[in-house]
Amino acid sequence: MSFALVAAGGAMGAVFRYGISLFPLKAGFPLLTLFTNFAGAFIIGLITGIAEEKGLNQNIQLFLKTGFCGGFTTFSTFSLETVNLIEDGRYQAAGLYIFLSAALCLFGVAAGKSLKAVL
């Protein structure tokens, strides 16, 4: 059941992300991706806040947080985990996580792109 909830939510999130990418916006800056990342972070924060304050069924959370938000943008999960570290007073861990996430992911993209010559 859990896998089905994540799959359904993920498919929905991916479709929403694709829909946003179709907006006819011409800019020299990735505004639609920035908007998607912000929206995903806002949505996962809202869901988490509601779950903490009022309670929310675990299956609904799984569908929305892991499924929808994960399919929409994984940046939302990164943002939630960073805020959780900060709220727990783990400022150094939060800073390290931010730095390593950005640095390793940028390196990963560059490394992956460089493999085009090998493949």
Side-chain angles (χ1 to χ4, degrees), residues 22-104:
L22 296 177
F23 278 66
L25 180 66
K26 299 288 183 200
F29 188 81
L31 288 174
L32 294 176
T33 301
L34 181 63
F35 170 78
T36 300
N37 289 336
F38 171 75
F42 177 81
I43 292 166
I44 203 169
L46 179 64
I47 294 163
T48 301
I50 291 170
E52 290 172 354
E53 188 68 28
K54 302 180 186 225
L56 195 58
N57 179 286
Q58 289 296 319
N59 285 336
I60 293 172
Q61 289 187 65
L62 194 58
F63 174 83
L64 292 173
K65 287 169 59 176
T66 305
F68 181 83
C69 288
F72 190 59
T73 171
T74 56
F75 199 78
S76 58
T77 302
F78 160 78
S79 301
L80 175 62
E81 290 170 342
T82 303
V83 167
N84 287 342
L85 288 170
I86 292 168
E87 287 177 348
D88 290 343
R90 299 180 60 201
Y91 304 110
Q92 288 181 329
L96 182 63
Y97 185 48
I98 291 166
F99 172 77
L100 288 175
S101 293
L104 289 174

Side-chain angles (χ1 to χ4, degrees), residues 105-119:
C105 290
L106 291 170
F107 173 76
V109 168
K113 287 182 77 172
S114 72
L115 285 179
K116 69 181 177 205
V118 178
L119 300 176

